[in-house]
Amino acid sequence: MRRTFVPAALLLASLAVTPLAHAQAPPRAQSQARPAAAAGQRFDRTRLATVVPAVEAAIARKELPGAVVAVGTERAVEWQATIGQRQVQPTPEPMTADTIFDAASLTKVVATTTAIMLLVEEGKLRLTDRLATYLPGFEKYGKRDITIRHLLTHTSGLRPDLEFNPEWNGYDTAISKAIDEVPVARLDERVIYSDINFFLLGHLVKVVSGQPLDEFTRTRVFVPLGMKDTMFRPPASLAPRMAPTERCRPISFPCGQPDGTWLRGVVHDPTARRMDNVAGHAGLFTTAADLARFARMLLNGGTLDGVRIMAPLTVARMTAPSTPPGERNVRGLGWDINSSYSSNKGDLLPARSFGHTGFTGTSLWVDPGTKTFIVFLSNRVHPDGKGDVGALRARVANIVGGAIRVAPAPVVDTHDFSAVGPSGTVGGRSVPLRTMTGIDVLQAEGFARLAGRKIGLLTNHTGRTRGGQSTIDAFVASKNLSVVALFSPEHGIRGILDEDVPSSVDEKTGLTIHSLYGKTRRVTPEMLQGIDTMVVDLQDIGARFYTYMSALGYLLEDTASRGIEVVVLDRPNPINGWQVEGPRPDPQPEGAERSYIAYFPTMPVRHGMTLGELAKLFNEERKIGAKLTVIEMRNWSREAWWDETALMWVNPSPNMRNLTQATMYPGIGAVEYANLSVGRGTDAPFERIGAPWIDGQMLAEALNARSLPGIRFYPIVFTPSSSVYKGEECQGIYFIVTDRTSLRPVRVGLEIVAALAKLFPGKLELKRTATLFGSADQLSRAMTGEDPAQLAAQWAQDEVNWTTLRAKYLLYR
């Protein structure tokens, strides 16, 4: 195994060194170092030398083929090691100090962020500028307010990357696809690490400067800094110095050759390859020497060797926290500070250090307090994509941190950028109060829109005015319309039944109540006798398998051919109208009746729409052709949860008793057809889960170890008085929602399935669970040990397809 390391500060232009048999530097190298006293104040060299065996051990575990590690200060590279091989297939090649690596996502900070900040300090951009100002058409689908800051901090709400299938190719195609993206989260809601953010920023550089990103960074950054081996699209003449990555697989075209040739000097990232190898998120190639120069420039406040690249205030702003208050993933502009991606900083480097990683096995971390940088370059994806240097990079950072022999200087922030919100607002969000539902609006208008109508009313106990009057009573009391009959959905007109509902007569009004959840779920011609308008007032819960939306869909179908108008009195989605989550349901057999728990074929579990919006979507996308009117709410926005409406909570169904249960329902309801109690028959349904065969302590410990966002678990014992395991003592877990905005309840449901299958082999029976959850394949893969996080990531395309489809039917901002 080849290993070379150079203590002290060799000239950066001559990093190619001779292999050493021992960890002690040769006299010649020592003679080229700066004075020993100055160097000794910074690092313990004996400790630094232990980086080499740590990397060698990882190579032996096949975590990487080799690496170049450089440690330095604002003045020079103080220590460097060249370890292992840069190529193991098809023929072995030793690692050299001048090996050129595919930097992967280091492109985001070394090239794109730097370019954007140069344009900012020149007054050509502002961080609060909307991207749509420079990219016409980007504003559609709710992207109007996405700013440059949102892209730089990964808080735009855009998904991680474009899909690979169907196949596409071309720089302009990628930009066009990004213009058509629909956000999967709201502005500043959470950090979603996104390549789309950064190839849009790379395109912005081209639009504003008139130069493509590779040319702009070459002339403005790399050449002035003396980064002679840093570039996009390296020439073939440099191939012998390139660290190869993987063979290019057909699914990741374009590969350049049909035989799956080795990627060597061709960018590993498939999206960047499709964008002609120059993109804002990937495509840069570089060496340890060049990255050391870049890091020294940052530590020197934007200057190196008398050449100023950017202003000191630009560097400070770029590397200061810029994500919203309360965001657990703290990021600067482009740079990572303290997030789920920053494990490579280790445990000792100060909280205000900053850096970034690259998928291929690269990283750069900089600590302004101790004036230290760490460059770690590897091609861990060579030869088969199975390498992993996450833990190793952290170990190396800890070794370097333990070798630093100077106290960190205080890093003074002169501005608090972390509270900057969308479009320049500061902190928080504006949520309207005192929402008026559709019945409130209609009543305030004196029912004028329905004057003279003969009404059939599909409602239940959730249909009530803000003042507490039932919608039935409000309609009957109105003198300018006539109520002919009532219609009840699942759970009955009073919402208390958990079984088939018989037709009956309303005791107070004497009106016939036609059940749509008994002998039939269809509105028959006989039921519609004497009716010219059907009015719907039901409180939905926001999940695909909650059946009130299906009752509405069937009603639209059954009235369309009869010329009967359907009027929907809209109500809030209690778990907000912007978060979408989960897989689409598996396809139904050709010609099958539309499922009552999966009425629309591409709807994720959590749909993020109101019942009125769903009615519009069903009517158009199903080509039902019903005469439809939606009485819109007033004073409701998509980001509002139920408790922000000032509306009285009424249990929409017997086991939906509070907002916490509604929040968990899309995930826990999705798995309740398994042999599990979800708390029905207790005082807290959907806030717990259990079974006689579960060890609650084991399950809580396993799930808490997953560090799922927005939720914690503790073990409990309970005995349901009804439903599954009635009268049997169950052990299980109770859910504590710690952050409802970051919570992903459908992911929680899948995590529970995976944990139960692993902890209690052979006990969990899924039965018909796929009919609720939607994807039998994903449930099966979770049962056989696949990581639920990776499975949940595969919902992204289903979620984006849904948010794109629903966009034109949304009634509220």
Side-chain angles (χ1 to χ4, degrees), residues 727-750:
E728 295 185 61
E729 183 177 273
C730 298
Q731 282 198 38
I733 50 173
Y734 201 92
F735 312 127
I736 301 296
V737 176
T738 58
D739 182 355
R740 66 186 181 184
T741 300
S742 63
L743 174 70
R744 296 293 174 267
V746 186
R747 159 88 182 275
V748 172
L750 192 64

PDB file of all heavy atoms in Angstrom, residues 727-750:
ATOM      1  N   GLY A 727     -59.753  -6.332  24.919  1.00  0.00           N
ATOM      2  CA  GLY A 727     -59.618  -7.007  26.198  1.00  0.00           C
ATOM      3  C   GLY A 727     -58.270  -7.650  26.445  1.00  0.00           C
ATOM      4  O   GLY A 727     -58.054  -8.248  27.505  1.00  0.00           O
ATOM      5  N   GLU A 728     -57.318  -7.525  25.516  1.00  0.00           N
ATOM      6  CA  GLU A 728     -55.988  -8.114  25.685  1.00  0.00           C
ATOM      7  C   GLU A 728     -54.967  -7.028  26.031  1.00  0.00           C
ATOM      8  O   GLU A 728     -54.980  -5.937  25.456  1.00  0.00           O
ATOM      9  CB  GLU A 728     -55.531  -8.822  24.398  1.00  0.00           C
ATOM     10  CG  GLU A 728     -56.364 -10.012  24.006  1.00  0.00           C
ATOM     11  CD  GLU A 728     -55.787 -10.726  22.803  1.00  0.00           C
ATOM     12  OE1 GLU A 728     -54.634 -11.210  22.893  1.00  0.00           O
ATOM     13  OE2 GLU A 728     -56.472 -10.790  21.765  1.00  0.00           O
ATOM     14  N   GLU A 729     -54.088  -7.365  26.950  1.00  0.00           N
ATOM     15  CA  GLU A 729     -53.042  -6.406  27.311  1.00  0.00           C
ATOM     16  C   GLU A 729     -52.009  -6.323  26.182  1.00  0.00           C
ATOM     17  O   GLU A 729     -51.503  -7.331  25.706  1.00  0.00           O
ATOM     18  CB  GLU A 729     -52.357  -6.827  28.610  1.00  0.00           C
ATOM     19  CG  GLU A 729     -51.312  -5.811  29.065  1.00  0.00           C
ATOM     20  CD  GLU A 729     -50.676  -6.193  30.395  1.00  0.00           C
ATOM     21  OE1 GLU A 729     -51.243  -5.823  31.432  1.00  0.00           O
ATOM     22  OE2 GLU A 729     -49.626  -6.854  30.366  1.00  0.00           O
ATOM     23  N   CYS A 730     -51.722  -5.111  25.779  1.00  0.00           N
ATOM     24  CA  CYS A 730     -50.762  -4.862  24.710  1.00  0.00           C
ATOM     25  C   CYS A 730     -49.612  -4.023  25.225  1.00  0.00           C
ATOM     26  O   CYS A 730     -49.820  -3.105  26.035  1.00  0.00           O
ATOM     27  CB  CYS A 730     -51.422  -4.101  23.543  1.00  0.00           C
ATOM     28  SG  CYS A 730     -52.777  -4.956  22.738  1.00  0.00           S
ATOM     29  N   GLN A 731     -48.413  -4.346  24.789  1.00  0.00           N
ATOM     30  CA  GLN A 731     -47.298  -3.424  24.956  1.00  0.00           C
ATOM     31  C   GLN A 731     -47.095  -2.689  23.644  1.00  0.00           C
ATOM     32  O   GLN A 731     -47.396  -3.201  22.569  1.00  0.00           O
ATOM     33  CB  GLN A 731     -46.016  -4.171  25.335  1.00  0.00           C
ATOM     34  CG  GLN A 731     -45.932  -4.580  26.781  1.00  0.00           C
ATOM     35  CD  GLN A 731     -44.505  -4.911  27.183  1.00  0.00           C
ATOM     36  OE1 GLN A 731     -43.546  -4.264  26.743  1.00  0.00           O
ATOM     37  NE2 GLN A 731     -44.369  -5.918  28.033  1.00  0.00           N
ATOM     38  N   GLY A 732     -46.585  -1.491  23.753  1.00  0.00           N
ATOM     39  CA  GLY A 732     -46.353  -0.719  22.541  1.00  0.00           C
ATOM     40  C   GLY A 732     -45.680   0.596  22.846  1.00  0.00           C
ATOM     41  O   GLY A 732     -44.923   0.710  23.828  1.00  0.00           O
ATOM     42  N   ILE A 733     -45.975   1.582  22.040  1.00  0.00           N
ATOM     43  CA  ILE A 733     -45.324   2.889  22.167  1.00  0.00           C
ATOM     44  C   ILE A 733     -46.362   3.991  22.071  1.00  0.00           C
ATOM     45  O   ILE A 733     -47.412   3.845  21.438  1.00  0.00           O
ATOM     46  CB  ILE A 733     -44.263   3.104  21.064  1.00  0.00           C
ATOM     47  CG1 ILE A 733     -44.841   2.806  19.682  1.00  0.00           C
ATOM     48  CG2 ILE A 733     -43.027   2.263  21.340  1.00  0.00           C
ATOM     49  CD1 ILE A 733     -43.930   3.143  18.523  1.00  0.00           C
ATOM     50  N   TYR A 734     -46.047   5.098  22.712  1.00  0.00           N
ATOM     51  CA  TYR A 734     -46.858   6.317  22.634  1.00  0.00           C
ATOM     52  C   TYR A 734     -46.069   7.348  21.847  1.00  0.00           C
ATOM     53  O   TYR A 734     -44.848   7.430  21.952  1.00  0.00           O
ATOM     54  CB  TYR A 734     -47.169   6.844  24.038  1.00  0.00           C
ATOM     55  CG  TYR A 734     -48.362   7.768  24.096  1.00  0.00           C
ATOM     56  CD1 TYR A 734     -49.627   7.257  24.351  1.00  0.00           C
ATOM     57  CD2 TYR A 734     -48.234   9.135  23.877  1.00  0.00           C
ATOM     58  CE1 TYR A 734     -50.738   8.093  24.401  1.00  0.00           C
ATOM     59  CE2 TYR A 734     -49.330   9.976  23.923  1.00  0.00           C
ATOM     60  CZ  TYR A 734     -50.579   9.451  24.184  1.00  0.00           C
ATOM     61  OH  TYR A 734     -51.675  10.269  24.226  1.00  0.00           O
ATOM     62  N   PHE A 735     -46.776   8.137  21.042  1.00  0.00           N
ATOM     63  CA  PHE A 735     -46.131   9.112  20.174  1.00  0.00           C
ATOM     64  C   PHE A 735     -46.159  10.496  20.815  1.00  0.00           C
ATOM     65  O   PHE A 735     -47.215  10.973  21.236  1.00  0.00           O
ATOM     66  CB  PHE A 735     -46.830   9.192  18.812  1.00  0.00           C
ATOM     67  CG  PHE A 735     -47.083   7.864  18.173  1.00  0.00           C
ATOM     68  CD1 PHE A 735     -48.357   7.512  17.746  1.00  0.00           C
ATOM     69  CD2 PHE A 735     -46.064   6.953  17.992  1.00  0.00           C
ATOM     70  CE1 PHE A 735     -48.606   6.295  17.156  1.00  0.00           C
ATOM     71  CE2 PHE A 735     -46.287   5.734  17.400  1.00  0.00           C
ATOM     72  CZ  PHE A 735     -47.563   5.396  16.982  1.00  0.00           C
ATOM     73  N   ILE A 736     -45.017  11.134  20.853  1.00  0.00           N
ATOM     74  CA  ILE A 736     -44.915  12.524  21.280  1.00  0.00           C
ATOM     75  C   ILE A 736     -44.469  13.346  20.070  1.00  0.00           C
ATOM     76  O   ILE A 736     -43.336  13.196  19.595  1.00  0.00           O
ATOM     77  CB  ILE A 736     -43.905  12.704  22.430  1.00  0.00           C
ATOM     78  CG1 ILE A 736     -44.324  11.866  23.630  1.00  0.00           C
ATOM     79  CG2 ILE A 736     -43.784  14.174  22.811  1.00  0.00           C
ATOM     80  CD1 ILE A 736     -45.640  12.279  24.254  1.00  0.00           C
ATOM     81  N   VAL A 737     -45.370  14.175  19.556  1.00  0.00           N
ATOM     82  CA  VAL A 737     -45.027  15.023  18.419  1.00  0.00           C
ATOM     83  C   VAL A 737     -44.277  16.243  18.948  1.00  0.00           C
ATOM     84  O   VAL A 737     -44.828  17.063  19.677  1.00  0.00           O
ATOM     85  CB  VAL A 737     -46.282  15.456  17.643  1.00  0.00           C
ATOM     86  CG1 VAL A 737     -45.910  16.421  16.520  1.00  0.00           C
ATOM     87  CG2 VAL A 737     -46.991  14.231  17.068  1.00  0.00           C
ATOM     88  N   THR A 738     -43.007  16.345  18.595  1.00  0.00           N
ATOM     89  CA  THR A 738     -42.166  17.445  19.078  1.00  0.00           C
ATOM     90  C   THR A 738     -42.087  18.601  18.089  1.00  0.00           C
ATOM     91  O   THR A 738     -41.775  19.723  18.465  1.00  0.00           O
ATOM     92  CB  THR A 738     -40.739  16.936  19.357  1.00  0.00           C
ATOM     93  OG1 THR A 738     -40.186  16.375  18.158  1.00  0.00           O
ATOM     94  CG2 THR A 738     -40.761  15.874  20.456  1.00  0.00           C
ATOM     95  N   ASP A 739     -42.347  18.332  16.825  1.00  0.00           N
ATOM     96  CA  ASP A 739     -42.307  19.380  15.801  1.00  0.00           C
ATOM     97  C   ASP A 739     -43.195  18.929  14.645  1.00  0.00           C
ATOM     98  O   ASP A 739     -42.784  18.157  13.790  1.00  0.00           O
ATOM     99  CB  ASP A 739     -40.872  19.619  15.310  1.00  0.00           C
ATOM    100  CG  ASP A 739     -40.785  20.732  14.273  1.00  0.00           C
ATOM    101  OD1 ASP A 739     -41.837  21.259  13.863  1.00  0.00           O
ATOM    102  OD2 ASP A 739     -39.657  21.058  13.856  1.00  0.00           O
ATOM    103  N   ARG A 740     -44.426  19.389  14.635  1.00  0.00           N
ATOM    104  CA  ARG A 740     -45.383  18.888  13.655  1.00  0.00           C
ATOM    105  C   ARG A 740     -45.027  19.298  12.237  1.00  0.00           C
ATOM    106  O   ARG A 740     -45.439  18.626  11.283  1.00  0.00           O
ATOM    107  CB  ARG A 740     -46.789  19.371  14.008  1.00  0.00           C
ATOM    108  CG  ARG A 740     -46.986  20.877  13.901  1.00  0.00           C
ATOM    109  CD  ARG A 740     -48.360  21.269  14.406  1.00  0.00           C
ATOM    110  NE  ARG A 740     -48.599  22.704  14.287  1.00  0.00           N
ATOM    111  CZ  ARG A 740     -49.694  23.316  14.731  1.00  0.00           C
ATOM    112  NH1 ARG A 740     -50.634  22.595  15.322  1.00  0.00           N
ATOM    113  NH2 ARG A 740     -49.861  24.608  14.588  1.00  0.00           N
ATOM    114  N   THR A 741     -44.289  20.375  12.077  1.00  0.00           N
ATOM    115  CA  THR A 741     -43.932  20.813  10.734  1.00  0.00           C
ATOM    116  C   THR A 741     -42.914  19.881  10.096  1.00  0.00           C
ATOM    117  O   THR A 741     -43.002  19.559   8.910  1.00  0.00           O
ATOM    118  CB  THR A 741     -43.380  22.244  10.755  1.00  0.00           C
ATOM    119  OG1 THR A 741     -44.389  23.118  11.277  1.00  0.00           O
ATOM    120  CG2 THR A 741     -43.001  22.711   9.370  1.00  0.00           C
ATOM    121  N   SER A 742     -41.937  19.430  10.878  1.00  0.00           N
ATOM    122  CA  SER A 742     -40.914  18.539  10.315  1.00  0.00           C
ATOM    123  C   SER A 742     -41.323  17.070  10.359  1.00  0.00           C
ATOM    124  O   SER A 742     -40.695  16.226   9.712  1.00  0.00           O
ATOM    125  CB  SER A 742     -39.589  18.719  11.061  1.00  0.00           C
ATOM    126  OG  SER A 742     -39.722  18.356  12.422  1.00  0.00           O
ATOM    127  N   LEU A 743     -42.379  16.752  11.101  1.00  0.00           N
ATOM    128  CA  LEU A 743     -42.855  15.375  11.195  1.00  0.00           C
ATOM    129  C   LEU A 743     -43.299  14.855   9.833  1.00  0.00           C
ATOM    130  O   LEU A 743     -43.963  15.564   9.079  1.00  0.00           O
ATOM    131  CB  LEU A 743     -44.037  15.310  12.171  1.00  0.00           C
ATOM    132  CG  LEU A 743     -44.764  13.965  12.286  1.00  0.00           C
ATOM    133  CD1 LEU A 743     -43.888  12.940  12.968  1.00  0.00           C
ATOM    134  CD2 LEU A 743     -46.085  14.136  13.019  1.00  0.00           C
ATOM    135  N   ARG A 744     -42.925  13.611   9.538  1.00  0.00           N
ATOM    136  CA  ARG A 744     -43.386  12.927   8.329  1.00  0.00           C
ATOM    137  C   ARG A 744     -44.131  11.671   8.785  1.00  0.00           C
ATOM    138  O   ARG A 744     -43.542  10.598   8.928  1.00  0.00           O
ATOM    139  CB  ARG A 744     -42.207  12.578   7.413  1.00  0.00           C
ATOM    140  CG  ARG A 744     -41.475  13.794   6.873  1.00  0.00           C
ATOM    141  CD  ARG A 744     -42.370  14.583   5.910  1.00  0.00           C
ATOM    142  NE  ARG A 744     -41.755  15.819   5.474  1.00  0.00           N
ATOM    143  CZ  ARG A 744     -41.940  16.992   6.073  1.00  0.00           C
ATOM    144  NH1 ARG A 744     -42.703  17.086   7.152  1.00  0.00           N
ATOM    145  NH2 ARG A 744     -41.373  18.075   5.599  1.00  0.00           N
ATOM    146  N   PRO A 745     -45.454  11.774   9.018  1.00  0.00           N
ATOM    147  CA  PRO A 745     -46.181  10.657   9.633  1.00  0.00           C
ATOM    148  C   PRO A 745     -46.187   9.382   8.795  1.00  0.00           C
ATOM    149  O   PRO A 745     -46.152   8.282   9.350  1.00  0.00           O
ATOM    150  CB  PRO A 745     -47.599  11.225   9.807  1.00  0.00           C
ATOM    151  CG  PRO A 745     -47.689  12.386   8.870  1.00  0.00           C
ATOM    152  CD  PRO A 745     -46.314  12.947   8.802  1.00  0.00           C
ATOM    153  N   VAL A 746     -46.235   9.501   7.455  1.00  0.00           N
ATOM    154  CA  VAL A 746     -46.243   8.290   6.633  1.00  0.00           C
ATOM    155  C   VAL A 746     -44.903   7.577   6.757  1.00  0.00           C
ATOM    156  O   VAL A 746     -44.842   6.347   6.834  1.00  0.00           O
ATOM    157  CB  VAL A 746     -46.562   8.624   5.171  1.00  0.00           C
ATOM    158  CG1 VAL A 746     -46.706   7.338   4.353  1.00  0.00           C
ATOM    159  CG2 VAL A 746     -47.847   9.450   5.067  1.00  0.00           C
ATOM    160  N   ARG A 747     -43.835   8.335   6.810  1.00  0.00           N
ATOM    161  CA  ARG A 747     -42.513   7.745   7.053  1.00  0.00           C
ATOM    162  C   ARG A 747     -42.496   7.046   8.413  1.00  0.00           C
ATOM    163  O   ARG A 747     -41.920   5.957   8.553  1.00  0.00           O
ATOM    164  CB  ARG A 747     -41.458   8.856   6.991  1.00  0.00           C
ATOM    165  CG  ARG A 747     -40.129   8.562   7.678  1.00  0.00           C
ATOM    166  CD  ARG A 747     -39.112   7.888   6.817  1.00  0.00           C
ATOM    167  NE  ARG A 747     -37.901   7.596   7.568  1.00  0.00           N
ATOM    168  CZ  ARG A 747     -36.890   8.443   7.765  1.00  0.00           C
ATOM    169  NH1 ARG A 747     -36.937   9.676   7.250  1.00  0.00           N
ATOM    170  NH2 ARG A 747     -35.814   8.076   8.437  1.00  0.00           N
ATOM    171  N   VAL A 748     -43.130   7.640   9.424  1.00  0.00           N
ATOM    172  CA  VAL A 748     -43.179   7.008  10.744  1.00  0.00           C
ATOM    173  C   VAL A 748     -43.873   5.655  10.652  1.00  0.00           C
ATOM    174  O   VAL A 748     -43.425   4.665  11.238  1.00  0.00           O
ATOM    175  CB  VAL A 748     -43.884   7.930  11.765  1.00  0.00           C
ATOM    176  CG1 VAL A 748     -44.112   7.190  13.082  1.00  0.00           C
ATOM    177  CG2 VAL A 748     -43.070   9.187  12.013  1.00  0.00           C
ATOM    178  N   GLY A 749     -44.993   5.603   9.927  1.00  0.00           N
ATOM    179  CA  GLY A 749     -45.689   4.328   9.771  1.00  0.00           C
ATOM    180  C   GLY A 749     -44.807   3.266   9.152  1.00  0.00           C
ATOM    181  O   GLY A 749     -44.791   2.105   9.595  1.00  0.00           O
ATOM    182  N   LEU A 750     -44.038   3.638   8.124  1.00  0.00           N
ATOM    183  CA  LEU A 750     -43.140   2.686   7.476  1.00  0.00           C
ATOM    184  C   LEU A 750     -42.003   2.286   8.412  1.00  0.00           C
ATOM    185  O   LEU A 750     -41.580   1.119   8.432  1.00  0.00           O
ATOM    186  CB  LEU A 750     -42.588   3.293   6.189  1.00  0.00           C
ATOM    187  CG  LEU A 750     -41.866   2.324   5.243  1.00  0.00           C
ATOM    188  CD1 LEU A 750     -42.831   1.263   4.725  1.00  0.00           C
ATOM    189  CD2 LEU A 750     -41.245   3.082   4.073  1.00  0.00           C
TER     190      LEU A 750
END
